[in-house]
Amino acid sequence: MSQPASLVVLISGSGSNLQAIIDQCANNSINASICRVISNKTDVKGLARAKDAGIATQVIDHTQYADREAFDAALIEVIDQCNPDLVVLAGFMRILTESFVTHFKGRLINIHPSLLPKYQGLNTHQRAIDAGDSEAGASVHFVTEELDGGPVIAQAKVPVEANDTTETLAKRVLTVEHGIFPAVIGWFADKRLQLDNNQIVFDQKTLSHPINWPFAD
Ligand code: GRF
């Protein structure tokens, strides 16, 4: 097997997606290794998950910086120490500056809990319920300058049930997030996936639409 892809994972909270990535790195389902987990919040569960797995952690508290540019510059400096192949936003609840996105373009991915381009931004589950949608889901996308607007690599759909609340729907969506996110990271690690001219190239072919879960391989 080739050298594992080096990842830096950014979190702000529970880190259940981080856990799915940790587990798949550990059992060699994906050829990747996490260099560092960075959180903008102290004492979140995701930091404990990283520590339990023996992964280096760092808190960079955004409230300690004068503005977004200063915070993102500090973030870039710490991430660059790992020289990662891929920067993974796993529930990282900060809007990133153009300088940050440009610095990591093509090696920066995010998971968003909606079927993009529907429901960019926050409160995705409640918005899907309020709209009477019959399905919801999650999307993994390359990050570009537009918030939640970069090219979508993969999506997973789940049904919206009649009695769903934000909590029940979020839980159902999270279970599929834990499937698609590590899988996409695995493709990137295996060099099957690139961002080229703002388009996704997968297995040497330009994608015209996202890959839908469950994946063929
Ligand atoms: C997920 O729903 C993800 O899509 C969104 O934030 C949530 C993070 O959950 N960006 P967790 O911290 O991975 O449990």
Side-chain angles (χ1 to χ4, degrees):
M1 222 196 296
S2 57
Q3 177 83 0
S6 164
L7 313 177
V8 169
V9 183
L10 271 55
I11 61 165
S12 301
S14 153
S16 67
N17 278 287
L18 167 68
Q19 188 67 58
I21 299 162
I22 290 173
D23 293 347
Q24 293 215 17
C25 289
N27 69 18
N28 293 320
S29 296
I30 59 177
N31 188 23
S33 152
I34 302 174
C35 171
R36 195 174 301 197
V37 170
I38 301 171
S39 172
N40 65 311
K41 295 206 167 156
T42 48
D43 295 330
V44 291
K45 189 168 172 191
L47 286 169
R49 294 179 193 269
K51 284 178 190 150
D52 285 349
I55 298 166
T57 61
Q58 187 146 355
V59 174
I60 307 180
D61 179 353
H62 62 277
T63 63
Q64 301 301 308
Y65 293 84
D67 53 27
R68 275 188 205 283
E69 284 292 343
F71 171 67
D72 281 12
L75 211 49
I76 289 173
E77 200 180 318
V78 172
I79 296 171
D80 277 350
Q81 288 165 8
C82 284
N83 191 23
D85 297 297
L86 186 64
V87 179
V88 178
L89 306 179
F92 186 64
M93 302 304 284
R94 298 287 308 161
I95 294 175
L96 294 160
T97 57
E98 201 175 323
S99 336
F100 184 95
V101 172
T102 305
H103 188 85
F104 294 110
K105 194 147 185 199
R107 51 187 184 122
L108 180 61
I109 62 171
N110 179 47
I111 188 150
H112 183 75
S114 79
L115 297 172
L116 290 171
K118 269 192 163 181
Y119 312 132
Q120 298 168 335
L122 297 174
N123 303 321
T124 55
H125 305 302
Q126 193 57 50
R127 287 156 73 197
I129 292 168
D130 291 348
D133 291 355
S134 59
E135 51 187 17
S139 308
V140 179
H141 64 96
F142 278 109
V143 177
T144 59
E145 294 73 14
E146 193 195 338
L147 179 68
D148 300 325
V152 178
I153 304 160
Q155 285 188 325
K157 292 177 180 164
V158 299
V160 180
E161 310 284 2
N163 298 322
D164 263 335
T165 60
T166 302
E167 290 71 28
T168 57
L169 182 55
K171 203 169 159 199
R172 194 173 311 118
V173 171
L174 266 179
T175 59
V176 291
E177 292 188 30
H178 302 159
I180 58 172
F181 211 14
V184 169
I185 293 166
W187 294 336
F188 191 92
D190 292 341
K191 302 196 175 6
R192 297 177 65 187
L193 182 67
Q194 291 95 29
L195 183 68
D196 185 14
N197 230 343
N198 263 350
Q199 290 197 303
I200 294 162
V201 178
F202 182 66
D203 286 346
Q204 269 99 51
K205 289 187 210 82
T206 301
L207 282 192
S208 51
H209 49 77
I211 302 168
N212 280 310
W213 176 262
F215 306 138
D217 57 16

Short mmCIF file of all heavy atoms in Angstrom, two decimals, residues 10-20 46 49 89-93 110-114 121 124-125 137-139 148 170 173-174 177-178 181, ligand 1:
data_model
loop_
_atom_site.label_atom_id
_atom_site.label_comp_id
_atom_site.label_asym_id
_atom_site.label_seq_id
_atom_site.Cartn_x
_atom_site.Cartn_y
_atom_site.Cartn_z
N LEU A 10 -10.87 19.46 11.06
CA LEU A 10 -11.33 20.63 11.83
C LEU A 10 -12.73 20.36 12.35
O LEU A 10 -13.62 19.93 11.58
CB LEU A 10 -11.35 21.87 10.92
CG LEU A 10 -10.06 22.70 10.84
CD1 LEU A 10 -8.88 21.85 10.42
CD2 LEU A 10 -10.24 23.85 9.86
N ILE A 11 -12.93 20.61 13.63
CA ILE A 11 -14.22 20.33 14.26
C ILE A 11 -14.65 21.51 15.14
O ILE A 11 -13.83 22.38 15.46
CB ILE A 11 -14.17 19.06 15.15
CG1 ILE A 11 -13.12 19.24 16.27
CG2 ILE A 11 -13.85 17.83 14.33
CD1 ILE A 11 -13.23 18.22 17.39
N SER A 12 -15.93 21.47 15.53
CA SER A 12 -16.41 22.45 16.52
C SER A 12 -17.27 21.78 17.58
O SER A 12 -17.81 22.47 18.46
CB SER A 12 -17.28 23.52 15.85
OG SER A 12 -16.59 24.22 14.86
N GLY A 13 -17.48 20.46 17.48
CA GLY A 13 -18.48 19.88 18.38
C GLY A 13 -18.28 18.41 18.67
O GLY A 13 -17.18 17.95 18.96
N SER A 14 -19.37 17.68 18.49
CA SER A 14 -19.43 16.29 18.93
C SER A 14 -18.41 15.36 18.23
O SER A 14 -17.87 14.44 18.84
CB SER A 14 -20.85 15.78 18.68
OG SER A 14 -20.83 14.40 18.48
N GLY A 15 -18.15 15.63 16.98
CA GLY A 15 -17.12 14.86 16.30
C GLY A 15 -17.52 13.44 15.95
O GLY A 15 -16.67 12.56 15.85
N SER A 16 -18.83 13.21 15.71
CA SER A 16 -19.20 11.84 15.32
C SER A 16 -18.66 11.51 13.93
O SER A 16 -18.29 10.36 13.66
CB SER A 16 -20.71 11.63 15.41
OG SER A 16 -21.39 12.39 14.45
N ASN A 17 -18.60 12.51 13.06
CA ASN A 17 -17.97 12.26 11.74
C ASN A 17 -16.47 12.00 11.91
O ASN A 17 -15.91 11.12 11.25
CB ASN A 17 -18.20 13.44 10.80
CG ASN A 17 -19.56 13.39 10.15
OD1 ASN A 17 -19.80 12.56 9.26
ND2 ASN A 17 -20.48 14.23 10.59
N LEU A 18 -15.84 12.78 12.77
CA LEU A 18 -14.43 12.55 13.08
C LEU A 18 -14.23 11.10 13.52
O LEU A 18 -13.31 10.42 13.09
CB LEU A 18 -13.96 13.52 14.18
CG LEU A 18 -12.62 13.19 14.81
CD1 LEU A 18 -11.47 13.37 13.83
CD2 LEU A 18 -12.40 14.06 16.05
N GLN A 19 -15.13 10.62 14.40
CA GLN A 19 -15.01 9.25 14.91
C GLN A 19 -15.08 8.23 13.77
O GLN A 19 -14.32 7.26 13.74
CB GLN A 19 -16.13 8.97 15.93
CG GLN A 19 -15.97 7.65 16.65
CD GLN A 19 -14.75 7.67 17.57
OE1 GLN A 19 -14.65 8.51 18.45
NE2 GLN A 19 -13.82 6.74 17.34
N ALA A 20 -16.00 8.48 12.84
CA ALA A 20 -16.13 7.55 11.71
C ALA A 20 -14.82 7.52 10.89
O ALA A 20 -14.38 6.47 10.43
CB ALA A 20 -17.31 7.96 10.82
N GLY A 46 -15.51 16.02 20.45
CA GLY A 46 -14.60 15.62 19.37
C GLY A 46 -13.15 15.63 19.80
O GLY A 46 -12.35 14.77 19.36
N ARG A 49 -12.52 12.51 21.68
CA ARG A 49 -12.45 11.35 20.75
C ARG A 49 -11.05 11.26 20.14
O ARG A 49 -10.48 10.17 20.01
CB ARG A 49 -13.46 11.52 19.62
CG ARG A 49 -14.93 11.47 20.04
CD ARG A 49 -15.76 11.66 18.77
NE ARG A 49 -17.16 11.93 18.98
CZ ARG A 49 -18.13 11.01 19.04
NH1 ARG A 49 -17.81 9.74 18.97
NH2 ARG A 49 -19.39 11.37 19.18
N LEU A 89 -13.28 19.33 6.86
CA LEU A 89 -14.16 20.09 7.74
C LEU A 89 -15.26 19.15 8.19
O LEU A 89 -16.14 18.77 7.41
CB LEU A 89 -14.75 21.30 7.01
CG LEU A 89 -13.73 22.25 6.34
CD1 LEU A 89 -14.46 23.38 5.62
CD2 LEU A 89 -12.75 22.80 7.36
N ALA A 90 -15.20 18.75 9.46
CA ALA A 90 -16.14 17.75 9.98
C ALA A 90 -16.96 18.40 11.10
O ALA A 90 -16.68 18.21 12.28
CB ALA A 90 -15.38 16.53 10.49
N GLY A 91 -17.95 19.20 10.69
CA GLY A 91 -18.74 19.91 11.68
C GLY A 91 -17.98 21.12 12.21
O GLY A 91 -18.08 21.45 13.39
N PHE A 92 -17.23 21.78 11.34
CA PHE A 92 -16.49 22.98 11.72
C PHE A 92 -17.38 24.18 11.42
O PHE A 92 -17.68 24.47 10.27
CB PHE A 92 -15.18 23.06 10.92
CG PHE A 92 -14.29 24.19 11.35
CD1 PHE A 92 -13.74 24.23 12.62
CD2 PHE A 92 -13.97 25.21 10.46
CE1 PHE A 92 -12.90 25.27 13.01
CE2 PHE A 92 -13.13 26.25 10.84
CZ PHE A 92 -12.59 26.27 12.12
N MET A 93 -17.83 24.84 12.50
CA MET A 93 -18.92 25.82 12.35
C MET A 93 -18.40 27.25 12.22
O MET A 93 -18.87 28.15 12.90
CB MET A 93 -19.87 25.69 13.54
CG MET A 93 -20.48 24.31 13.71
SD MET A 93 -21.34 23.73 12.24
CE MET A 93 -22.83 24.69 12.37
N ASN A 110 -15.83 19.42 2.82
CA ASN A 110 -16.77 19.67 3.91
C ASN A 110 -17.94 18.70 3.78
O ASN A 110 -18.28 18.27 2.68
CB ASN A 110 -17.29 21.11 3.78
CG ASN A 110 -18.30 21.48 4.86
OD1 ASN A 110 -18.09 21.21 6.04
ND2 ASN A 110 -19.41 22.09 4.46
N ILE A 111 -18.55 18.40 4.93
CA ILE A 111 -19.82 17.67 4.87
C ILE A 111 -20.92 18.60 5.33
O ILE A 111 -20.78 19.31 6.32
CB ILE A 111 -19.79 16.36 5.68
CG1 ILE A 111 -21.08 15.57 5.41
CG2 ILE A 111 -19.58 16.59 7.17
CD1 ILE A 111 -20.94 14.08 5.52
N HIS A 112 -22.01 18.61 4.58
CA HIS A 112 -23.12 19.52 4.87
C HIS A 112 -24.40 18.69 4.97
O HIS A 112 -24.67 17.86 4.10
CB HIS A 112 -23.23 20.55 3.75
CG HIS A 112 -24.30 21.57 4.04
ND1 HIS A 112 -24.13 22.58 4.95
CD2 HIS A 112 -25.55 21.71 3.54
CE1 HIS A 112 -25.24 23.30 5.00
NE2 HIS A 112 -26.12 22.80 4.16
N PRO A 113 -25.21 18.94 6.03
CA PRO A 113 -26.37 18.07 6.25
C PRO A 113 -27.61 18.46 5.45
O PRO A 113 -28.68 18.70 6.02
CB PRO A 113 -26.60 18.20 7.76
CG PRO A 113 -26.12 19.58 8.08
CD PRO A 113 -25.01 19.89 7.13
N SER A 114 -27.46 18.52 4.15
CA SER A 114 -28.62 18.70 3.27
C SER A 114 -28.25 18.17 1.89
O SER A 114 -27.07 17.90 1.62
CB SER A 114 -29.03 20.17 3.14
OG SER A 114 -28.17 20.84 2.24
N GLY A 121 -26.18 26.78 4.40
CA GLY A 121 -26.26 27.50 5.68
C GLY A 121 -26.79 26.61 6.80
O GLY A 121 -26.64 25.39 6.76
N THR A 124 -30.70 23.19 8.53
CA THR A 124 -31.08 22.46 7.32
C THR A 124 -32.24 21.49 7.56
O THR A 124 -33.13 21.37 6.73
CB THR A 124 -29.89 21.67 6.78
OG1 THR A 124 -29.39 20.83 7.83
CG2 THR A 124 -28.77 22.60 6.31
N HIS A 125 -32.20 20.78 8.71
CA HIS A 125 -33.21 19.75 8.94
C HIS A 125 -34.60 20.37 9.13
O HIS A 125 -35.58 19.90 8.56
CB HIS A 125 -32.83 18.89 10.15
CG HIS A 125 -31.47 18.29 10.01
ND1 HIS A 125 -31.13 17.47 8.96
CD2 HIS A 125 -30.35 18.41 10.77
CE1 HIS A 125 -29.87 17.10 9.08
NE2 HIS A 125 -29.37 17.67 10.16
N GLY A 137 -30.92 14.64 3.49
CA GLY A 137 -29.68 13.90 3.33
C GLY A 137 -28.46 14.73 3.62
O GLY A 137 -28.54 15.75 4.31
N ALA A 138 -27.34 14.27 3.07
CA ALA A 138 -26.07 14.94 3.33
C ALA A 138 -25.25 14.98 2.04
O ALA A 138 -25.43 14.14 1.16
CB ALA A 138 -25.30 14.18 4.39
N SER A 139 -24.37 15.98 1.97
CA SER A 139 -23.53 16.16 0.79
C SER A 139 -22.09 16.38 1.23
O SER A 139 -21.84 17.10 2.19
CB SER A 139 -23.96 17.41 0.01
OG SER A 139 -25.34 17.39 -0.29
N ASP A 148 -20.96 26.72 1.29
CA ASP A 148 -21.70 25.50 0.96
C ASP A 148 -22.02 25.41 -0.54
O ASP A 148 -23.01 24.78 -0.92
CB ASP A 148 -23.01 25.39 1.78
CG ASP A 148 -22.74 25.35 3.27
OD1 ASP A 148 -21.72 24.78 3.68
OD2 ASP A 148 -23.56 25.92 4.03
N ALA A 170 -32.01 14.70 12.08
CA ALA A 170 -30.55 14.89 12.15
C ALA A 170 -29.86 13.57 12.45
O ALA A 170 -28.82 13.25 11.85
CB ALA A 170 -30.21 15.91 13.24
N VAL A 173 -29.84 11.43 9.34
CA VAL A 173 -28.87 11.96 8.36
C VAL A 173 -27.43 11.65 8.81
O VAL A 173 -26.59 11.26 7.99
CB VAL A 173 -29.08 13.47 8.14
CG1 VAL A 173 -27.95 14.06 7.29
CG2 VAL A 173 -30.43 13.75 7.47
N LEU A 174 -27.18 11.78 10.12
CA LEU A 174 -25.82 11.52 10.61
C LEU A 174 -25.36 10.09 10.29
O LEU A 174 -24.20 9.87 9.97
CB LEU A 174 -25.74 11.74 12.12
CG LEU A 174 -25.29 13.13 12.59
CD1 LEU A 174 -25.30 13.19 14.11
CD2 LEU A 174 -23.92 13.53 12.07
N GLU A 177 -24.08 10.20 6.94
CA GLU A 177 -22.85 11.02 6.88
C GLU A 177 -21.64 10.15 7.21
O GLU A 177 -20.58 10.27 6.60
CB GLU A 177 -22.93 12.18 7.88
CG GLU A 177 -23.97 13.22 7.54
CD GLU A 177 -23.89 14.46 8.43
OE1 GLU A 177 -22.80 14.80 8.91
OE2 GLU A 177 -24.95 15.08 8.66
N HIS A 178 -21.83 9.28 8.21
CA HIS A 178 -20.71 8.45 8.66
C HIS A 178 -20.32 7.41 7.60
O HIS A 178 -19.25 6.81 7.70
CB HIS A 178 -21.06 7.75 9.97
CG HIS A 178 -21.41 8.71 11.06
ND1 HIS A 178 -22.13 8.40 12.18
CD2 HIS A 178 -21.12 10.05 11.18
CE1 HIS A 178 -22.28 9.47 12.94
NE2 HIS A 178 -21.68 10.48 12.35
N PHE A 181 -18.74 10.20 4.23
CA PHE A 181 -17.57 11.07 4.43
C PHE A 181 -16.26 10.27 4.39
O PHE A 181 -15.36 10.60 3.62
CB PHE A 181 -17.74 11.86 5.73
CG PHE A 181 -17.10 13.22 5.73
CD1 PHE A 181 -16.66 13.82 4.56
CD2 PHE A 181 -16.93 13.92 6.92
CE1 PHE A 181 -16.07 15.09 4.57
CE2 PHE A 181 -16.34 15.18 6.94
CZ PHE A 181 -15.90 15.76 5.77
C1 GRF B 1 -22.97 17.20 10.84
O1 GRF B 1 -24.35 17.11 10.67
C2 GRF B 1 -22.33 17.85 9.65
O2 GRF B 1 -22.97 17.57 8.45
C3 GRF B 1 -22.45 19.30 9.98
O3 GRF B 1 -22.24 19.38 11.37
C4 GRF B 1 -22.59 18.14 11.97
C5 GRF B 1 -21.38 17.67 12.73
O4 GRF B 1 -21.66 16.55 13.50
N1 GRF B 1 -21.54 20.10 9.18
P1 GRF B 1 -20.47 15.80 14.24
O5 GRF B 1 -19.72 16.85 15.06
O6 GRF B 1 -19.58 15.17 13.21
O7 GRF B 1 -21.14 14.81 15.13
#
